[in-house]
Amino acid sequence: MVRMSDVPNPTHPIVLPEKPALEGLEAKWNAVWEREGTFRFDASAPRERVFSVDTPPPTVSGSLHVGHVFSYTHTDVVARFQRMRGKAVFYPMGWDDNGLPTERRVQNYYGVRCEPSLPYDPAFVPPDKPGKQPVSVSRPNFIELCNRLTAEDEKAFEHLWRHLGLSVDWTRTYATIGRRAQRVSQAAFLRLLAKGTAYQLEAPTLWDVDFRTAVAQAELEDREQPGAYHRIRFARGGGAYVDIETTRPELIPACVALVAHPDDERYKPLFGTTVETPLFGVQVPVRAHVLADPEKGSGIAMICTFGDVTDVTWWRELALPVRAVIAANGTLRPIVWGSEGWASGDAARAQAAYDQLATLSAAKARARIVELLKEAGALIGEPRPITHPVKFYEKGDRPLEIVTSRQWFIKTMDFQADLISRGRELRWHPEYMQHRYENWVNGLTGDWCISRQRFFGVPFPVWYPVRADGSYDYANPIVPDESRLPIDPSTDVPDGYTAAQREVPGGFAGDPDVMDTWATSSLTPQIASGWLEDEDLFSRVFPMDVRPQAHDIIRTWLFDTVLRAQLEHGTLPWRNAAISGWVLDPDRKKMSKSKGNVVTPMALLEEHGSDGVRYWAASGRPGTDTAFDPAQMKVGRRLAMKLLNAARFSLMQAEPRGAITEPLDRGMLTRLSRLVADATEMLDAYDYARVLERTEAFFWGFCDDYLEMVKSRRYGDFGPEAAASANSAMLVALSAMLRLFAPYLPFVTEEVWSWWRPGSVHTAAWPTPEDVVAPIGGADAAAADVYGPAQEALALVRQRKALEKRPVKSVVTRAVLPAALSGLGPAARDVQAATHVRDLSFAAVAEAVIEFEEPASPAAR
RNA sequence: GGGCGCGUGGCUCAGCGGUAGAGCAUUCGCUUCACACGCGAGGGGUCGGUGGUUCGAUUCCACCCGCGCCCACCA
């Protein structure tokens, strides 16, 4: 019996297009889905029926590229699968418009520059075209421009995502600079502050001299840079000396000590003595520390405040003084020798030397000091050019400096053990990505610096009392009540104060900094889930089910999010982490804009169809970098086309229908039910690529072999009952296959579904193995064993025809096939009909024997 | 220096203890009444190298080579 659910509903008669086509399906179905609210989240669903996704908010200041299309498709496949399994899918979309990339884009786009000291100008209109000189604008004006440009970007992004077919609930979007994100970021921060988990500290901090902001350890990258070892002579008195090697001679005025390994016999006698810096005549101690490498350079190094992070370690552990020379803008700051502890044996000479360096950038100062050292005879030999890795801010253009400044930190070092165990609790897809996380957590060297000296970001919601002398009392910040959030301390006034008291003695001053963009995006689960705003929603979707993201930001976004959830809720933010790879260009390099190899996603979607592009994307296995391959998109498009045609064939003569009795039909369905079982299990494990591969292989076999074999029978050549069996089986199979393909090829499957079934395939129930074999009264293992041999028998006859270059329809008088195939039984009739074999038999032959009918000679006619 | 991943036909990739697979490309053939955005068939690989475990290894183990990514205190 065919179950009613697989019989076309009378109110939905089968309506087939004359010539099915893929063109225009995206627009057609997106409009319907939007109208019907197909992907709207059911906010009344209990937690156990919810599947929630912590969608990565794309950076709107950039443009979307194929890498986005790739990874977002993976997430969408999983979301659609879960929806079909009956889950209420919480699938929001965020926009990451917060932070430096947006600032930079706004500066270039409008030709402006933020000048926080300026007052707000409500009448400000940006220039039509950016001028040569940037226009200075106030911070509120600047933020307005950021908001304006990102709003436009977000529209373009949404259009592309819809065209791609992401089943996002578009009523649930957020922006990382939006009110909700600010409120969550500020509230979470204040709670950490109250617990003492957030703190501020004046300390040496990694500093980008162009952006003039602190940056975090996670935002560093190494770049190979040309440099040179300079051998520099320090005098020990009495004509003795010691030589050090350095790549940064311009920091000699910032030198506070020399250091060598405690076991280094060469320098043991110097420990505890002092030496004199060249040019500046400063007495600095020689100290011992195990980090000093006897093999490197001369085995003894100078410690400066601060040349690199090792200097910071030495400075801290050896309790050395600070003599900082690098200013926030990366130049050497003016210094008056003889004051502020800038002692020298010859202050006049030191001043004269230093004056030639002051206000120069580090690079220029380096060139200058080399000349001075040469003249003074302190440079030994010529500088030896080397290439060495130098730390950069990942978005920066010049090497990082280390500058002492007051910054906010979130404690991480105290929680390393908790973070490791949370990482083990999380289910990683693929599993090996967990190593990267543990690697990072174990390698942490300091707490997380979350303050940035920038403008377009979430402000720190604190003020400081201004003392009588005008200085700020940082130790006693004034905090707002959580109910007031979000606030901007540069415009809002703390309770108990008036606006007139801003920055006057006895009054208050706002914290000028904004939070690191990761300090906000580490809260995307809370922001998206309605934490503090909609506790009912929050309880239904948090902790979320999955965080999809790429592997390059495990150390930032993933780690930070785990940290924040641990600190605030004491839980994981989600149960699963689904890690995508990158899209590589054919040269095996990561595709990026700078390499000029990025293809516009919309052009791809238009050329290959969204389903075609999704097919390529979905074939990229979790975590695996995948080559950009338009050929695969063509294959995907062809698959979509094949679905249209195979469905049309199956549906074009859907009568008569009835009991599925024929072995081939029963075998095909039993095979299909096994596929459904495997597919479900694999999708549960996020192995979407394998499911697509398996489903596709089955489908092509269905088209090329099964449909060809039953064609004659379904046309009625063997009576109505045999035809009914074929017709019914085809419809059951089509229904299941459409649902298996639906997460991957949402447009073509919806189109075909609409020809004969009510509702959307995307809200139809995911097939179960039991569903598929229910119409044949359960799995038929014997029939399933016939399916493969039937395909083989078909192949043998086809092969012979091809080898003899006979037309497909040429008649074979007799075919003797290997006895191994003899189990075909009644199914042999279908093979016979499909291959035009009059007399089909099976015998113990090594090779198939196939005899053709000779064409009748003209004479005989 | 540490960690992780990868090395299978020209290309892109599956497979993973028992006689090598797919798609693309290539060659040959086919106006076959769902589809020429199609259909059928052929050729093409000592599964990076060397050892080991095993009756048997592309598949497990060890070492090595190559590629990629992540991390590292890079004076």
Side-chain angles (χ1 to χ4, degrees):
Chain A
M1 275 295 289
V2 176
R3 295 191 319 157
M4 285 310 293
S5 65
D6 289 313
V7 177
N9 186 313
T11 60
H12 290 267
I14 298 177
V15 180
L16 297 180
E18 270 305 309
K19 185 86 181 167
L22 297 171
E23 285 71 23
L25 293 185
E26 290 89 352
K28 174 182 175 183
W29 290 109
N30 269 318
V32 174
W33 296 334
E34 174 63 19
R35 193 177 66 229
E36 303 287 326
T38 309
F39 306 129
R40 213 58 62 76
F41 172 63
D42 174 6
S44 68
R47 180 65 189 87
E48 57 273 18
R49 204 168 68 72
V50 167
F51 183 82
S52 49
V53 182
D54 185 19
T55 317
T59 306
V60 291
S61 53
S63 44
L64 290 176
H65 52 80
V66 281
H68 289 107
V69 167
F70 179 70
S71 55
Y72 281 75
T73 296
H74 300 162
T75 308
D76 188 59
V77 167
V78 172
R80 286 177 182 273
F81 164 67
Q82 294 290 350
R83 188 179 295 109
M84 292 176 75
R85 293 202 88 191
K87 291 285 176 68
V89 174
F90 183 75
Y91 190 8
M93 180 60 71
W95 307 117
D96 191 13
D97 41 17
N98 169 343
L100 268 177
T102 297
E103 285 191 23
R104 214 159 29 166
R105 182 161 140 78
V106 167
Q107 284 168 6
N108 296 334
Y109 190 91
Y110 294 111
V112 297
R113 182 193 168 83
C114 182
E115 181 47 62
S117 63
L118 289 178
Y120 177 60
D121 175 2
F124 175 76
V125 179
D128 286 344
K129 262 190 196 163
K132 284 203 188 97
Q133 284 299 318
V135 180
S136 289
V137 300
S138 74
R139 175 166 153 166
N141 284 113
F142 187 74
I143 287 170
E144 273 180 9
L145 293 178
C146 290
N147 284 325
R148 184 200 296 196
L149 189 59
T150 54
E152 283 175 31
D153 290 340
E154 285 158 19
K155 260 183 270 173
F157 275 40
E158 180 175 336
H159 177 68
L160 180 74
W161 285 146
R162 283 182 186 267
H163 197 85
L164 177 64
L166 295 190
S167 61
V168 159
D169 180 348
W170 289 104
T171 65
R172 296 183 183 273
T173 61
Y174 66 87
T176 58
I177 196 64
R179 201 197 75 87
R180 187 155 25 119
Q182 299 222 17
R183 180 162 182 225
V184 166
S185 306
Q186 292 187 336
F189 168 78
L190 289 179
R191 290 177 180 211
L192 294 181
L193 180 60
K195 283 194 285 192
T197 307
Y199 64 94
Q200 56 183 329
L201 189 67
E202 173 116 11
T205 312
L206 295 160
W207 186 270
D208 186 288
V209 297
D210 292 312
F211 289 114
R212 297 189 200 182
T213 180
V215 304
Q217 183 187 356
E219 295 170 291
L220 302 186
E221 67 182 30
D222 287 351
R223 296 187 201 158
E224 286 292 331
Q225 294 288 308
Y229 276 125
H230 303 74
R231 196 173 184 92
I232 309 290
R233 183 152 297 176
F234 284 60
R236 291 173 54 198
Y241 59 84
V242 59
D243 290 344
I244 61 104
E245 293 205 347
T246 180
T247 54
R248 300 203 60 185
E250 74 277 15
L251 294 180
I252 291 173
C255 176
V256 293
L258 300 191
V259 65
H261 194 275
D263 301 336
D264 193 328
E265 296 297 338
R266 295 169 296 177
Y267 300 111
K268 267 186 176 173
L270 274 61
F271 296 146
T273 70
T274 63
V275 297
E276 184 181 296
T277 64
L279 298 179
F280 306 100
V282 178
Q283 291 294 319
V284 296
V286 180
R287 304 289 298 268
H289 194 280
V290 287
L291 278 183
D293 183 353
E295 302 297 314
K296 214 168 270 179
S298 59
I300 185 164
M302 72 171 180
I303 303 173
C304 304
T305 52
F306 297 92
D308 62 28
V309 292
T310 316
D311 279 344
V312 178
T313 307
W314 280 328
W315 166 79
R316 194 189 321 115
E317 295 185 8
L318 299 174
L320 297 165
V322 177
R323 276 197 283 278
V325 297
I326 301 287
N329 64 1
T331 64
L332 273 64
R333 68 186 179 96
I335 289 167
V336 178
W337 288 77
S339 73
E340 293 179 56
W342 288 87
S344 168
D346 185 346
R349 178 172 176 246
Q351 190 72 53
Y354 191 79
D355 284 349
Q356 301 191 51
L357 308 176
T359 74
L360 297 180
S361 70
K364 291 210 172 87
R366 186 175 314 150
R368 185 71 190 108
I369 200 169
V370 166
E371 295 168 11
L372 297 177
L373 289 164
K374 223 178 249 180
E375 289 164 17
L379 178 69
I380 308 306
E382 284 300 308
R384 289 183 292 116
I386 53 157
T387 302
H388 63 150
V390 175
K391 287 194 190 307
F392 279 71
Y393 173 41
E394 60 192 1
K395 297 187 173 71
D397 299 319
R398 284 199 280 170
L400 285 173
E401 294 290 353
I402 293 171
V403 169
T404 298
S405 55
R406 187 189 57 83
Q407 303 292 345
W408 283 105
F409 293 85
I410 290 179
K411 287 186 182 173
T412 55
M413 302 306 286
D414 291 357
F415 304 104
Q416 260 173 314
D418 294 333
L419 294 169
I420 290 285
S421 64
R422 288 293 176 220
R424 290 178 181 167
E425 204 181 310
L426 186 61
R427 287 197 290 266
W428 297 78
H429 311 280
E431 281 178 23
Y432 61 75
M433 287 295 175
Q434 194 206 327
H435 294 292
R436 296 207 186 184
Y437 173 89
E438 286 207 12
N439 224 345
W440 175 252
V441 177
N442 286 326
L444 285 171
T445 57
D447 289 340
W448 178 16
C449 174
I450 56 162
S451 45
R452 297 291 179 272
Q453 287 66 52
R454 300 301 303 176
F455 317 109
F456 192 57
V458 178
F460 283 87
V462 294
W463 301 267
Y464 305 105
V466 179
R467 297 193 191 96
D469 66 356
S471 64
Y472 297 171
D473 182 6
Y474 290 118
N476 294 292
I478 306 164
V479 300
D481 190 79
E482 213 171 74
S483 63
R484 283 190 65 187
L485 302 178
I487 63 138
D488 180 348
S490 71
T491 52
D492 292 316
V493 175
D495 291 337
Y497 290 84
T498 65
Q501 288 176 284
R502 185 179 293 277
E503 293 183 26
V504 298
F508 67 92
D511 188 305
D513 291 349
V514 297
M515 294 181 196
D516 171 17
T517 183
W518 295 114
T520 295
S521 51
S522 59
L523 295 164
T524 52
Q526 291 84 350
I527 295 167
S529 300
W531 183 57
L532 301 180
E533 303 238 326
D534 183 346
E535 290 300 330
D536 181 68
L537 176 67
F538 185 67
S539 71
R540 290 173 198 274
V541 303
F542 185 92
M544 302 181 99
D545 286 277
V546 62
R547 153 65 68 82
Q549 65 162 79
H551 53 62
D552 55 331
I553 51 175
I554 288 174
R555 66 172 177 166
T556 48
W557 195 34
L558 192 145
F559 168 77
D560 293 340
T561 311
V562 170
L563 171 69
R564 300 305 292 274
Q566 173 65 21
L567 295 182
E568 181 57 42
H569 312 285
T571 67
L572 273 176
W574 358 258
R575 293 173 181 80
N576 297 278
I579 308 295
S580 308
W582 282 337
V583 177
L584 306 178
D585 69 15
D587 298 336
R588 307 265 79 189
K589 295 279 187 283
K590 184 192 178 189
M591 285 197 119
S592 71
K593 207 193 279 181
S594 60
K595 297 197 180 71
N597 53 11
V598 169
V599 188
T600 324
M602 194 50 96
L604 280 178
L605 296 183
E606 279 162 2
E607 182 179 352
H608 304 288
S610 293
D611 285 339
V613 175
R614 289 174 64 105
Y615 171 89
W616 159 76
S619 65
R621 310 185 108 70
T624 305
D625 295 345
T626 300
F628 174 69
D629 191 357
Q632 282 304 106
M633 300 177 194
K634 290 192 172 72
V635 172
R637 185 177 174 79
R638 213 177 50 178
L639 172 63
M641 199 68 212
K642 193 75 175 176
L643 261 171
L644 288 179
N645 284 310
R648 201 173 95 88
F649 173 75
S650 300
L651 295 167
M652 69 193 302
Q653 187 180 316
E655 299 293 341
R657 255 172 291 151
I660 302 172
T661 51
E662 294 283 331
L664 204 58
D665 304 335
R666 299 172 65 84
M668 183 274 293
L669 289 177
T670 302
R671 290 296 191 94
L672 178 55
S673 83
R674 292 176 190 168
L675 170 66
V676 168
D678 292 347
T680 306
E681 192 178 318
M682 290 187 281
L683 270 167
D684 266 329
Y686 293 79
D687 200 356
Y688 47 80
R690 197 189 304 248
V691 173
L692 175 58
E693 188 183 300
R694 297 275 305 273
T695 305
E696 185 191 11
F698 182 89
F699 173 68
W700 282 106
F702 174 83
C703 292
D704 295 342
D705 299 332
Y706 175 77
L707 289 183
E708 290 302 327
M709 285 191 279
V710 302
K711 195 176 269 183
S712 174
R713 177 151 60 81
R714 80 84 59 98
Y715 280 129
D717 295 355
F718 302 100
E721 283 173 18
S725 176
N727 284 331
S728 297
M730 270 188 261
L731 295 192
V732 174
L734 180 64
S735 168
M737 285 188 295
L738 282 176
R739 284 176 286 156
L740 290 179
F741 276 127
Y744 301 89
L745 312 173
F747 295 103
V748 71
T749 51
E750 187 76 321
E751 172 70 10
V752 171
W753 194 258
S754 75
W755 294 344
W756 64 307
R757 304 298 305 272
S760 169
V761 70
H762 301 300
T763 50
W766 183 253
T768 66
E770 296 74 28
D771 284 345
V772 174
V773 292
I776 58 171
D780 186 340
D785 290 342
V786 160
Y787 195 62
Q791 290 177 302
E792 284 175 55
L794 184 61
L796 283 172
V797 181
R798 282 172 170 169
Q799 180 186 45
R800 185 57 58 92
K801 285 183 180 175
L803 289 176
E804 299 200 8
K805 298 196 194 308
R806 304 241 183 201
V808 178
K809 292 194 78 175
S810 55
V811 175
V812 178
T813 55
R814 194 168 73 94
V816 181
L817 302 183
L821 303 178
S822 64
L824 291 181
R829 189 196 57 207
D830 287 328
V831 175
Q832 198 169 339
T835 49
H836 307 97
V837 174
R838 283 191 197 144
D839 178 15
L840 182 63
S841 59
F842 302 91
V845 289
E847 212 182 327
V849 178
I850 294 166
E851 293 169 4
F852 292 91
E853 186 170 44
E854 288 305 321
S857 67
R861 218 172 246 178

